[in-house]
Amino acid sequence: MKILGKRAGSAQFSTQAAKRRLLVLLAIFATALVIPLAVLASRVYSQFEEEMYFAYKWNAEILVRHANKRLNKIISKEDERAFGDYQYFKWIVDPLTKEKKKTTSILAYPHKMKHIPGFIGHFQIDADDKFSSPLLPYIEKKYLTAKVKMEWDEIAQRLEKQDEIKALLVENGFLKLPKVKDPKAWEMEQQQIAEVKWREQQKAKNEKKMLADEELKEHKPRKEEEYVSMDSKQDKWDPMEGTSSHSDYTAFTVEIDPFLWKRSDDGHFIFYRKVWRKNQRFIQGFVVDGHAFLADIVVPLLKERKFESEVSLQVLNNYDSFKEFIFKPNEMGHPTIEIKSKNLIQHEDIKILYSALYKPLEQIGFMFTTVELPRGPGSAMVSLLLIVVSLVIVIGILIIYRAGNKQILLAEERLNFVSAVSHELKTPLTSILMYSEMLKEGMVSDAERRRTYYDFIFFESERLSRLIANVLQLSRLGKDAQSVDIESCSVNRLCDLVKSKTHTLLQKNEFEMSLDCGGLKVNDFDVMVDQDAFAQIVINLMDNAIKFSVDKERPEKTIRRLDVGFRKAAKPGYVAFYVRDYGPGVDATGGQKIFELFYRVGDEMTRTKPGTGIGLALVSELANAMNGEVSYSNKKPGAEFCVLLPTQPHH
């Protein structure tokens, strides 16, 4: 038999070395399995993350596309506004009669601007740097109630809104407030203003020439004929003068540039366009609350996205973050959006997408990042399979290790058994041959000494016979159930069998036996046993008890007594046969191992007790073959072995 490279019976066989070789082989085997599995798992998870990355990127691109679409819709609608729409009153042409009639501009009704999120109001700055708004006509405040037919509370609200818009334009450099100076300084300033206007007119002419080149500007300014109410040019208006006539308008042609955009420091967005009229520049546009504007556009689109982890959308102006939307999914499928406008920092997380918006917001970019990319729903199945495969590998390796370790221990036990049997056979055989030769040659003349030699040869031969019987019985272990011939036998017959089979053993070792059938009604039942098997059980139990009761170092302290007998068992239908000695008892660490084949108490290197480790194993095996069972218990002092045997009542 060969185990891990060394023959079990060879002298070089070492249990520890064999276990180390087994562990090394299992480690190599496990490594050969785990490394490819780990590489495969890594590639699979990387693929899942890559797929999730592209899914996140696609969702981000869809969001940017929809945001651009809505922004383009807002800007396009505002870009279609006529020049005259930016006055409270405007003249329109009736498409049927071709007559011109005066009406109120649509921009005079801010509540109708629902398509613009965070809308505050429209404005106009004329060539003379004068501010006006379609919220109210450009006349003195005292005439407003008569002119616009509004309650003063509403007029006051519109005036407050105008002041807010005007203040924003001043703060952002679109409008300059007039300064009160002395006449000379005012005259010099007017000259400077005239010079500036002349330069602006020249600049405007140059800009018009540049606009002719399509490579320098994406959109050409459009031209349209406009009719503007004269009210826009009047600083005063007297209601006693009556209503305006059909000639109360000015007709002219204007060129309108595309919208531009600017963000104020406090977060307002100013959308404006330049309008050219006779080389004079007008600025028209509208103001929105930037926070509400972005939130109304981004939040609904972000909630519709299918992100499985937290995603940050930072809004950047020239790569400077000024607003952040944090998408947080939940288990119910209703994500929450956290909006931050302060203490923003550039994230070093996984970058998903950066995309700039379309004109006029091309300076704004959306940056999508996430802390981690989930592996997707498919990864759960892969993880489960990996766990199952890992468990199978671990369990398989443990099973192989236990099986290999068991084989190593079995090899060691068999090696020890062979060594023990060799010793048990060689020693008495040597003595028998020596005494036999001495008796044969007539070297012993003393009759008493000859009788002693004859007794020694007899006892040793009997011991060899028991050993050979055990070995022969061992050869049948591991095969089919033990071949026993069970028959009914009285307790008295078994007691006689115990006496006859143990007399020589007790005599040789100078032990006394107390045989007791204590209180059993032996005539009421028979014991179902195989007498030969029972005899072998008795001999092995008695031999084991004598062997471990004798203290060779202090023989005078050995209690040479055995208590043997039958008693009523706690289990119905059984009788208990027991053998009790007065030795040191059974070591608690041995436990039920004492009934295992080849097991012997103590270290093989220091063991002084003779034996082969098969006696108690045969007891257990034979008891099971007769439908019985064996157990032991420690006494004070000694140990008691008990065999339960089935009974059959008398009929």
Side-chain angles (χ1 to χ4, degrees), residues 198-309:
W198 181 83
R199 293 193 188 96
E200 288 183 352
Q201 290 175 0
Q202 297 300 318
K203 183 179 179 182
K205 290 180 180 180
N206 294 332
E207 287 181 358
K208 289 178 65 178
K209 292 179 181 179
M210 293 175 63
L211 293 175
D213 189 352
E214 294 183 356
E215 296 182 356
L216 298 179
K217 190 154 187 160
E218 183 177 353
H219 301 285
K220 290 183 178 181
R222 74 173 191 271
K223 295 183 179 182
E224 62 180 27
E225 186 176 357
E226 287 292 339
Y227 303 91
V228 180
S229 172
M230 293 297 292
D231 290 334
S232 63
K233 305 299 293 181
Q234 295 177 357
D235 291 332
K236 294 183 180 180
W237 177 80
D238 187 353
M240 299 303 295
E241 295 178 359
T243 60
S244 302
S245 64
H246 287 289
S247 61
D248 186 19
Y249 64 87
T250 300
F252 52 87
T253 301
V254 295
E255 293 182 2
I256 303 176
D257 289 349
F259 266 94
L260 300 175
W261 166 85
K262 184 176 181 180
R263 184 176 72 91
S264 66
D265 294 336
D266 57 359
H268 288 85
F269 290 177
I270 302 173
F271 294 88
Y272 64 96
R273 66 183 184 182
K274 296 178 181 179
V275 182
W276 305 94
R277 173 190 171 193
K278 297 180 179 179
N279 295 328
Q280 291 184 329
R281 185 198 64 189
F282 291 76
I283 297 178
Q284 296 179 333
F286 59 96
V287 179
V288 299
D289 182 346
H291 302 290
F293 184 79
L294 288 175
D296 189 84
I297 292 177
V298 172
V299 171
L301 296 176
L302 198 55
K303 285 185 176 181
E304 294 175 0
R305 299 303 97 207
K306 297 180 180 179
F307 296 120
E308 297 182 11
S309 61

Side-chain angles (χ1 to χ4, degrees), residues 2 106 242 251 314 389 477 524 547 611 634:
K2 207 170 186 180
I106 186 65
Q314 287 196 331
V389 172
L477 288 175
D524 293 342
K547 185 187 340 178
N634 279 317

Side-chain angles (χ1 to χ4, degrees), residues 109-149:
Y109 305 97
H111 62 278
K112 294 184 178 182
M113 301 294 113
K114 295 181 180 180
H115 65 287
I116 305 178
F119 176 76
I120 295 177
H122 289 85
F123 68 88
Q124 175 177 293
I125 302 174
D126 61 17
D128 296 330
D129 203 27
K130 290 184 179 180
F131 167 83
S132 63
S133 171
L135 291 171
L136 291 170
Y138 192 69
I139 57 176
E140 290 187 12
K141 294 181 181 179
K142 61 182 181 179
Y143 299 125
L144 285 174
T145 53
K147 184 69 173 177
V148 299
K149 298 180 181 179

Side-chain angles (χ1 to χ4, degrees), residues 186 205 233 292 316 320 332 335 452 478 495 500 531 540 597 605:
W186 181 83
K205 290 180 180 180
K233 305 299 293 181
L316 288 74
D320 181 23
M332 303 300 295
T452 302
C495 287
S500 63
Q531 293 189 35
N540 282 328
L597 187 62
M605 301 300 295

Side-chain angles (χ1 to χ4, degrees), residues 196-477:
V196 171
K197 286 184 176 180
W198 181 83
R199 293 193 188 96
E200 288 183 352
Q201 290 175 0
Q202 297 300 318
K203 183 179 179 182
K205 290 180 180 180
N206 294 332
E207 287 181 358
K208 289 178 65 178
K209 292 179 181 179
M210 293 175 63
L211 293 175
D213 189 352
E214 294 183 356
E215 296 182 356
L216 298 179
K217 190 154 187 160
E218 183 177 353
H219 301 285
K220 290 183 178 181
R222 74 173 191 271
K223 295 183 179 182
E224 62 180 27
E225 186 176 357
E226 287 292 339
Y227 303 91
V228 180
S229 172
M230 293 297 292
D231 290 334
S232 63
K233 305 299 293 181
Q234 295 177 357
D235 291 332
K236 294 183 180 180
W237 177 80
D238 187 353
M240 299 303 295
E241 295 178 359
T243 60
S244 302
S245 64
H246 287 289
S247 61
D248 186 19
Y249 64 87
T250 300
F252 52 87
T253 301
V254 295
E255 293 182 2
I256 303 176
D257 289 349
F259 266 94
L260 300 175
W261 166 85
K262 184 176 181 180
R263 184 176 72 91
S264 66
D265 294 336
D266 57 359
H268 288 85
F269 290 177
I270 302 173
F271 294 88
Y272 64 96
R273 66 183 184 182
K274 296 178 181 179
V275 182
W276 305 94
R277 173 190 171 193
K278 297 180 179 179
N279 295 328
Q280 291 184 329
R281 185 198 64 189
F282 291 76
I283 297 178
Q284 296 179 333
F286 59 96
V287 179
V288 299
D289 182 346
H291 302 290
F293 184 79
L294 288 175
D296 189 84
I297 292 177
V298 172
V299 171
L301 296 176
L302 198 55
K303 285 185 176 181
E304 294 175 0
R305 299 303 97 207
K306 297 180 180 179
F307 296 120
E308 297 182 11
S309 61
E310 183 175 309
V311 173
S312 169
L313 166 55
Q314 287 196 331
V315 184
L316 288 74
N317 182 17
N318 292 326
Y319 299 97
D320 181 23
S321 177
F322 67 91
K323 201 167 192 65
E324 182 177 13
F325 299 87
I326 303 175
F327 175 94
K328 294 182 178 180
N330 58 17
E331 297 178 355
M332 303 300 295
H334 302 292
T336 58
I337 309 297
E338 179 183 346
I339 304 176
K340 297 173 64 177
S341 301
K342 296 181 179 180
N343 302 322
L344 303 180
I345 59 174
Q346 292 288 343
H347 290 294
E348 298 297 332
D349 302 330
I350 301 173
K351 180 180 177 181
I352 300 173
L353 175 72
Y354 174 80
S355 179
L357 300 180
Y358 296 159
K359 288 186 177 182
L361 298 175
E362 67 272 17
Q363 294 178 348
I364 288 184
F366 283 179
M367 173 70 79
F368 294 86
T369 58
T370 183
V371 176
E372 62 176 352
L373 285 170
R375 292 170 178 169
S379 63
M381 180 60 68
V382 173
S383 299
L384 179 61
L385 291 176
L386 284 175
I387 293 173
V388 172
V389 172
S390 300
L391 287 176
V392 169
I393 292 175
V394 171
I395 293 173
I397 291 175
L398 289 177
I399 292 174
I400 295 173
Y401 174 76
R402 292 189 64 181
N405 192 48
K406 188 175 182 181
Q407 289 297 319
I408 293 172
L409 294 177
L410 182 60
E412 182 185 23
E413 289 171 351
R414 289 182 176 177
L415 184 61
N416 294 333
F417 168 72
V418 171
S419 176
V421 169
S422 300
H423 178 75
E424 292 290 320
L425 290 173
K426 184 177 180 180
T427 302
L429 279 175
T430 302
S431 299
I432 290 172
L433 288 173
M434 181 184 69
Y435 289 134
S436 299
E437 186 176 356
M438 291 173 65
L439 292 170
K440 178 182 175 183
E441 297 295 333
M443 298 174 63
V444 182
S445 57
D446 186 17
E448 185 66 27
R449 287 180 62 190
R450 283 200 303 270
R451 180 169 181 79
T452 302
Y453 290 169
Y454 286 136
D455 288 343
F456 179 83
I457 292 172
F458 174 76
F459 291 143
E460 290 300 317
S461 298
E462 192 176 51
R463 184 160 73 92
L464 288 176
S465 178
R466 291 196 303 270
L467 176 60
I468 292 171
N470 284 341
V471 173
L472 292 175
Q473 190 70 43
L474 174 65
S475 66
R476 292 191 289 271
L477 288 175

